[in-house]
Each structure stands twice: as C-alpha cells, then as structure tokens.
Amino acid sequence: MSGVARNLAGSGTPAPAPGIIPAIAALAGPERLAQLKTICRNVIDLSSMDSATIVEKFGGALILLEQGQAGAEQVVLGLAVDKPDSAVLMVSDNLPVHIVRALMKIEASDILPVSAGAEEILESIDRIRAAAEAAVAGGDGPASAVCWAFRGAVGGAGVSTLAIESAFSLCEKVGPGKVCLVDLNVSDGMVSSFLEAVPKLDLAALSAAPERLDARLLAAWCWQHEDGVSTISAPRNPDADALATEAAILRLLDVACAEFPYVLVDMPRHMMPWTKPILGAVDEAVIVSELTVPSLHAAADMAREVDMLRSSDRKAKLVLNRMFPKKKFRAEFAVDKAEKAIDRKIDETITSDWDAARTAVNLGKPIGEVKPKSALVADVSRLVDSMMPEAARQPVQQTNGKRRAK
C-alpha cells in the first residue's frame, strides 16, 4: 500500500467530518495559514524549519506549499527524491519547469491557483483522498501514467497523424480503454476531424476554474473510438489560444494522467505558456520532422531546446516522418548522412503511405485499420515499442483480423 493511501485512506480509521481536515502541514504566508485554520483542526506552521527538516519530519503526510515562501521549492525537490509517497498541494500561478517535473514524481499532488479559497482546498484534498481509497481497494498499481508528447519541428510534418497512429498502435498492445489522446492544438486541431470524433472539451469552463476539473468532468469531455482509444479535443476556435492558460492545460493533463495509464499529447508547433513545462515533464518528448535540409536543421534546433528542459538520460526523440519507401529511388540523402549533418541521432523513421493515410482520414479510421500491412503501420509500431516501459509489454493475440493485447 502506498504512503498516501496509508495516511489519507486511514486503514480502517473513520473519515473526518465533511469540511474538516484533521491535520495539515503548511509552508505559507499568514493569510493562507489563517484560511487553513477555518477548515483544519491542526495547522502546523513550517516557516521556522529548514527544508531538510520538513522533508524528514513531514514527508509522507499532507503538506501545503505556497510558492514564494522561503524553502518551498527545495521542499518539493526533497520530497520528490526522498519521500515521493507524500501528498502535496502547491499554490502557485506560474510554476517553473523543474518544480512541475518534481511534482509529477510525488505520489499525490495538486496545483492550486493563488486565488484558491478554502472550498477549493477541501475539494483538492477530497480528490487526493478518493485516489488513496481507490489505491487501497485496488492494491498496488502503477504509480503514475506514461505520457508522451508529439511536436512538429516544421509545419505539415504529419504530427497529428503520427500521434493518432501511435495511440491506436499502443491501444492494440495494452488493451482498450487505457489510452487517451489529448489534442492541444486548441484553435485548429485535426484529431477530431481525422477520426470523426466529437470535440467535447469546454476550454472556456476549464480556463475559468481549472481546479474544478475532476474525473467525472473529464469523462464528460472524452470521446471514445470504437477501437478503445479516448480522445480529448476542443471545437475549432481561432481565439482558443487565449483560453489555454498554463493552469488550465496542466490541470487537464494532470487529471488525464490520473484516469488513464497512457496519455499521448498532440502539441502545436508554436510556443504556448505550457509548452516547456509539458516537454520537460513527459516521459517521452517526440520531435517530428521530414528528411529535407531545412526541416532537419529546424528539428535539430528544437531537439536541443527540449533537451535543455530534460535530464541527460531523457533526451528528446527525433523522428523523421514521410520517408520514401526504400525500394523506390528518390532524390533524398541517406539517414546516416543526415545524422552527421545535424550531429544527432535520428531515433526512428516513418515510411510515407499517402494513399492509406488519405483513405483513413476520409473514413474516420486509423491507418492500421484501413491498411494493416502498411509499412507506415509497422514503423509506428516499432516506434511505440521503443518507448513503452518494459513492465507494460504484453503478448498480443489475433482477434477478428486485429492484434489485441492478451
């Protein structure tokens, strides 16, 4: 059983009365401490302790940290390394990338805006408690979701197609209902059009109150394909980028990762307030390009920028899309020469199959269903295999002409 489950679910201890928290440790300003005392029997002020002492004494418990307070960021980093079985509420309107990554390593965490009131804090703690109780009932499961982000180095590189095909390939390997594809091209995304999906995401509501997003609301914003892949996308809106705040998008992905074991993100090429936090935190950051000189240089530059957000052992993956079939002669240079030109490894190549791709989008289906033996489908499957955690790999069986996880 996890530490959060032990501390919040209580192992047989009756739950506290609604609206009352038994105890919370807080590194926050006077106004926040006064607010907490209205909803908590025992508020422990951590301001007199150094970060190492806080981690040692209160790691594994419920802690509220307010960004801007001395030592708050050091506490998050310490908990992520030494006490990941903690429950942390972080109060901030603008978190740096390294703190977002640290929070994702902590077993239970939530980010609340500075404007959050007592009711929002209670709702956040209720969500954490519910997750802990589910962990108690279901035993020890995966600590967190696997999250991959796809971003194009140049326009028209086929990022949405690659993200869609990766999602369906992954679904075949792990089973239906476990994969969610989130389209963050909020102003003009193509995922819903390619799959004839219903774009249900209410971006205005999410932006107005991101802290209110929970599992039930997320389910209402999801659309599931008959093959078992769920999608989250917003209706086309040229003004949607203004609604896609960092707090809203990070909250959306946080709840999605709590509800699905695998979350894939189709990201826009242009920079958004949440681009760097996401690329720094995801398990795999995939940069998609084509085999042309301008595209290669753009991809190499973007990959280097992403690498700066990640640790040395978690570099971005560089994928070349729309490659000509090897049996056909075309005026393009070899991949090894391309690697030398940009001084970087090209992790995977995806063969072009324009006819199959065009048929698939016209039918609202993945390419793997329209043309299962396409070289593109095989290449995407290889890419997915290279990114899957070893523990998640399962043998597959053939069912009605389709590969399905056992």
Side-chain angles (χ1 to χ4, degrees):
M1 186 188 300
S2 69
V4 172
R6 284 193 301 270
N7 285 295
L8 293 180
S11 299
T13 302
I20 295 295
I21 307 169
I24 188 170
L27 182 54
E31 292 183 5
R32 187 71 62 182
L33 291 172
Q35 178 192 63
L36 290 175
K37 289 177 182 178
T38 67
I39 58 172
C40 183
R41 298 192 189 107
N42 183 19
V43 178
I44 305 168
D45 184 359
L46 303 177
S47 59
S48 62
M49 301 182 190
D50 60 75
S51 57
T53 302
I54 293 173
V55 171
E56 180 182 355
K57 289 189 175 182
F58 296 94
L62 176 62
I63 305 175
L64 182 142
L65 301 170
E66 195 167 35
Q67 189 184 19
Q69 296 297 312
E73 292 191 0
Q74 288 73 20
V75 171
V76 175
L77 297 173
L79 292 172
V81 174
D82 298 326
K83 298 285 186 176
D85 60 343
S86 302
V88 176
L89 303 183
M90 191 77 194
V91 180
S92 172
D93 285 334
N94 188 18
L95 282 177
V97 172
H98 67 288
I99 297 301
V100 175
R101 288 172 56 186
L103 286 171
M104 293 185 72
K105 296 177 182 178
I106 295 173
E107 187 171 315
S109 65
D110 199 0
I111 302 172
L112 298 174
V114 172
S115 61
E119 182 180 348
E120 285 80 8
I121 294 174
L122 282 172
E123 289 177 355
S124 177
I125 293 171
D126 284 342
R127 286 192 294 267
I128 293 175
R129 182 181 290 114
E133 291 172 350
V136 172
D140 290 325
S144 60
V146 173
C147 188
W148 304 338
F150 295 78
R151 188 183 181 205
V154 292
V159 179
S160 294
T161 297
L162 185 55
I164 290 170
E165 295 306 314
S166 297
F168 280 88
S169 178
L170 180 59
C171 184
E172 286 188 346
K173 299 172 190 293
V174 302
K178 297 181 179 180
V179 179
C180 181
L181 174 59
V182 182
D183 189 353
L184 292 186
N185 295 279
V186 291
S187 61
D188 59 351
M190 296 300 294
V191 167
S192 58
S193 296
F194 283 5
L195 294 175
E196 293 187 353
V198 180
K200 295 183 173 184
L201 176 60
D202 188 340
L203 197 57
L206 176 64
S207 176
E211 70 281 358
R212 295 188 179 278
L213 177 59
D214 58 13
R216 285 178 294 181
L217 184 53
L218 184 81
W221 289 345
C222 280
W223 178 88
Q224 189 175 69
H225 191 275
E226 60 183 6
D227 286 356
V229 173
S230 295
T231 66
I232 299 176
S233 58
R236 288 187 178 179
N237 176 2
D239 300 320
D241 281 353
L243 296 174
T245 62
E246 181 178 2
I249 297 302
L250 293 183
R251 178 65 186 169
L252 176 65
L253 293 184
D254 186 39
V255 177
C257 287
E259 297 303 311
F260 292 91
Y262 301 91
V263 176
L264 280 65
V265 185
D266 180 7
M267 299 187 65
R269 183 168 65 94
H270 57 278
M271 187 66 68
M272 296 289 288
W274 36 263
T275 299
K276 289 183 178 181
I278 292 176
L279 291 176
V282 293
D283 296 280
E284 297 287 355
V286 183
I287 306 302
V288 184
S289 185
E290 297 177 314
L291 190 55
T292 65
V293 172
S295 299
L296 282 172
H297 285 300
D301 290 342
M302 182 176 287
R304 282 189 287 269
E305 293 167 2
V306 173
D307 286 346
M308 295 176 63
L309 306 173
R310 303 169 65 83
S311 57
S312 58
D313 60 337
R314 299 172 61 248
K315 289 188 175 182
K317 277 188 164 50
L318 182 53
V319 175
L320 297 187
N321 195 20
R322 295 177 175 166
M323 299 286 287
F324 289 120
K326 294 182 176 62
K327 64 182 180 180
K328 295 184 179 180
F329 176 78
R330 291 290 188 278
E332 66 177 11
F333 47 95
V335 171
D336 58 344
K337 291 183 179 179
E339 291 178 327
K340 290 180 181 178
I342 61 175
D343 191 25
R344 187 183 184 91
K345 175 187 176 183
I346 295 170
D347 296 274
E348 295 290 347
T349 59
I350 309 296
T351 304
S352 177
D353 193 338
W354 173 249
D355 289 339
R358 179 179 57 187
T359 302
V361 298
N362 285 338
L363 295 176
K365 297 180 178 181
I367 297 173
E369 190 170 326
V370 172
K371 189 177 178 182
K373 295 185 179 180
S374 169
L376 183 153
V377 174
D379 290 345
V380 170
S381 179
R382 186 178 65 248
L383 170 65
V384 170
D385 283 338
S386 73
M387 297 192 293
M388 282 183 68
E390 190 65 35
R393 301 177 191 274
Q394 301 182 43
V396 296
Q397 60 183 359
Q398 203 80 11
T399 304
N400 297 328
K402 300 179 183 179
R403 298 171 71 234
R404 286 286 179 260
K406 288 184 179 179

